[in-house]
């Protein structure tokens, strides 16, 4: 078991398979984003070696993310190998859904358990505007394919951006009436290098709840104020699915954090919103021993920052979201 100096058990690793993406969501990356050369990213054998090391250290839950994880070459084989790694009990993915029509069934067969799919609006024109060129129909087909393949329960991630989709939150929430999905609303977070929009156009959870309740009536909090990971869970009375709120800006969940991140270029990122990282890939390539790498990871986790400083206006500027892995 790997703990930090605050006594938190860190056992959940989010691995970015690539910083590349087939969309350009305007809250995530600039339109003219330049991606890292493939040689700078962890190669398959390096990735598998590190996954085994993390599993030996007690990491039992892995989420594959990016960039867009499904554009990584060999993604089905990567899923299979990680799923077969002793000690890994949960394997999930966050994806924009663009390629899921084709990949959902093979990914499930390879051992992926479920997916979070990003979808910020049900309006095709607004979807295109937010993603700069994405097709709503393609993503919707991806969601259906995921459900059909058994990558369930499906969770939908919606980032809410003032001036773009704050008027769509009730329609998104109402998807849960008919579908056994969890629709999660995410407060937009600021990172360096993207755009001022992230600071000026945040819509708070409180406002999102009001906008939904204006249409659906008062939301229930089943079993009191339960959390599912970082999401606070609510429900439209009588609905099949649930609504989650991820309030990183107005109500951080740092005390309950169990996670660390491995970026596509092999850096251990200790907190999504702090710049502190430990380079693992460079020493691995330079011939560091298993024991040396293990010590770097344990030491990095021990020194994981308590939490982020968004409330004090502190913004991590060394990477944009797609380079960390959300
Ligand atoms: N490409 C995949 C996707 O879009 O689902 C996985 C990577 S993406 C970086 C992971 C999640 O981060 C997505 O749900 C995305 O909407 C969210 N995200 C991106 N930029 C964000 C920001 N500035 N604030 C909050 N969430 C953000
Ligand atoms: Fe790509 Fe996901 Fe970022 Fe959108 S949020 S640009 S899909 S990495």
């Amino acid at each position: 078991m790997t703990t930090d100096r605050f006594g938190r058990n860190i056992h959940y690793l989010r691995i970015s398979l690539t910083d590349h993406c087939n969309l350009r969501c305007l809250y995530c990356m600039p339109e003219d984003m330049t991606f890292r050369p493939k040689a700078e990213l962890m190669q398959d054998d390096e990735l598998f070696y590190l996954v085994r090391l993390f599993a030996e250290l007690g990491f039992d839950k892995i989420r594959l993310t990016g960039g867009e994880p499904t554009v990584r070459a060999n993604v089905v084989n990567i899923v299979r190998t990680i799923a077969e790694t002793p000690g890994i009990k949960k394997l999930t993915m966050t994806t924009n859904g663009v390629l899921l029509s084709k990949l959902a069934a093979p990914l499930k067969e390879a051992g992926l358990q479920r997916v979070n799919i990003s979808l910020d609006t049900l309006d095709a024109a607004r979807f295109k505007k937010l993603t700069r060129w994405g097709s709503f129909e393609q993503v919707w087909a991806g969601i259906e394919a995921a459900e059909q393949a058994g990558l369930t329960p499906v969770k939908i991630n919606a980032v809410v951006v003032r001036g773009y989709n704050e008027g769509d939150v009730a329609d998104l929430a109402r998807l849960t009436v008919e579908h056994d999905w969890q629709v999660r609303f995410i407060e937009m977070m600021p990172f360096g290098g993207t755009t001022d929009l992230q600071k000026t156009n945040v819509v708070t959870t409180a406002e999102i709840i009001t906008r939904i309740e204006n249409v659906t009536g008062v939301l229930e909090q089943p079993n009191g104020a339960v959390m599912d990971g970082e999401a606070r869970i609510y429900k439209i009375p009588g609905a099949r699915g649930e609504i989650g709120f991820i309030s990183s800006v107005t109500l951080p969940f740092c005390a309950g954090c169990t996670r660390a991140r491995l970026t596509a270029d092999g850096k251990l990122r200790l907190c999504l919103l702090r710049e502190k990282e430990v380079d693992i890939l460079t020493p691995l390539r330079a011939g560091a021993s298993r024991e040396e790498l293990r010590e770097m990871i344990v030491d990095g986790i021990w020194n994981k920052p308590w939490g982020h400083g968004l409330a004090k206006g502190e913004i991590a500027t060394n990477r944009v979201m797609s380079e960390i892995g959300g």
Side-chain angles (χ1 to χ4, degrees):
M1 189 165 91
T2 313
T3 49
D4 72 1
R5 66 208 151 104
F6 303 107
R8 294 175 294 189
N9 174 14
I10 312 301
H11 62 101
Y12 174 14
L13 188 65
R14 293 197 172 194
I15 302 176
S16 172
L17 291 185
T18 175
D19 61 333
H20 294 232
C21 189
N22 44 6
L23 296 180
R24 297 284 183 282
C25 303
L26 47 85
Y27 47 74
C28 180
M29 61 168 88
E31 188 164 13
D32 59 350
M33 181 77 188
T34 43
F35 298 111
R36 288 189 160 75
K38 294 227 165 55
E40 284 183 18
L41 307 185
M42 290 181 287
Q43 306 300 299
D44 289 5
D45 56 339
E46 294 166 335
L47 175 63
F48 300 148
Y49 181 87
L50 291 178
V51 166
R52 285 197 297 276
L53 204 50
F54 276 96
E56 285 164 19
L57 287 168
F59 282 76
D60 57 2
K61 180 174 173 187
I62 289 183
R63 172 173 296 277
L64 301 175
T65 177
E68 175 48 40
T70 58
V71 304
R72 165 98 184 208
N74 235 352
V75 65
V76 174
N77 186 47
I78 289 174
V79 163
R80 191 182 311 286
T81 306
I82 296 178
E84 286 169 356
T85 304
I88 300 303
K89 297 188 190 125
K90 265 195 170 171
L91 180 59
T92 61
M93 179 182 280
T94 302
T95 167
N96 61 27
V98 169
L99 297 175
L100 274 186
S101 295
K102 193 176 71 174
L103 284 173
L107 286 171
K108 174 71 186 178
E109 185 277 324
L112 191 69
Q113 289 162 358
R114 29 168 313 275
V115 281
N116 286 22
I117 301 168
S118 299
L119 181 70
D120 305 325
T121 171
L122 301 179
D123 178 273
R126 282 196 288 282
F127 183 79
K128 182 162 270 172
K129 216 164 155 190
L130 274 158
T131 56
R132 293 205 179 94
W133 60 66
S135 148
F136 167 79
E137 286 76 16
Q138 211 172 17
V139 173
W140 190 259
I143 294 172
E144 290 180 331
E147 193 162 42
Q148 226 168 9
L151 291 169
T152 51
V154 166
K155 296 188 185 177
I156 308 284
N157 286 354
V159 176
V160 188
V161 189
R162 189 172 309 287
Y164 289 85
N165 65 337
E166 76 272 33
D168 296 329
V169 295
D171 283 349
L172 284 163
R174 282 182 349 179
L175 288 174
T176 62
V177 173
E178 297 290 327
H179 299 279
D180 190 12
W181 298 345
Q182 189 184 96
V183 175
R184 300 139 56 98
F185 295 98
I186 304 175
E187 284 178 345
M188 183 168 50
M189 294 173 277
F191 297 88
T194 334
T195 157
D196 284 345
L197 177 108
Q198 293 172 332
K199 282 178 265 170
T200 53
N201 294 36
V202 174
V203 182
T204 63
T205 292
E207 179 179 335
I208 299 169
I209 291 179
T210 304
R211 284 178 174 275
I212 295 171
E213 288 187 333
N214 282 343
V215 176
T216 64
V218 178
L219 298 175
E220 288 172 350
Q221 278 192 287
N223 313 318
V226 288
M227 300 283 290
D228 175 26
E230 69 272 51
R232 287 182 175 77
I233 299 304
Y234 287 67
K235 214 173 156 89
I236 298 174
R240 292 184 64 202
E242 296 173 336
I243 303 172
F245 295 97
I246 302 178
S247 321
S248 320
V249 180
T250 60
L251 213 52
F253 42 87
C254 307
C257 188
T258 58
R259 65 188 64 167
R261 291 175 164 79
L262 189 59
T263 65
D265 57 335
K267 311 278 194 302
L268 179 64
R269 174 109 174 177
L270 283 324
C271 169
L272 174 64
L273 292 151
R274 292 278 184 194
E275 291 181 6
K276 187 177 169 61
E277 295 175 349
V278 179
D279 186 357
I280 306 290
L281 184 59
T282 307
L284 171 66
R285 287 185 177 175
S289 69
R290 210 172 177 75
E291 200 41 52
E292 285 166 334
L293 292 169
R294 181 194 290 265
E295 264 173 42
M296 284 174 210
I297 296 169
V298 170
D299 186 56
I301 299 286
W302 179 255
N303 290 301
K304 178 176 158 69
W306 165 253
H308 64 72
L310 286 187
K312 287 184 265 166
E314 294 164 10
I315 296 173
T317 56
N318 60 340
R319 287 174 189 263
V320 299
M321 183 66 146
S322 61
E323 294 173 302
I324 306 168

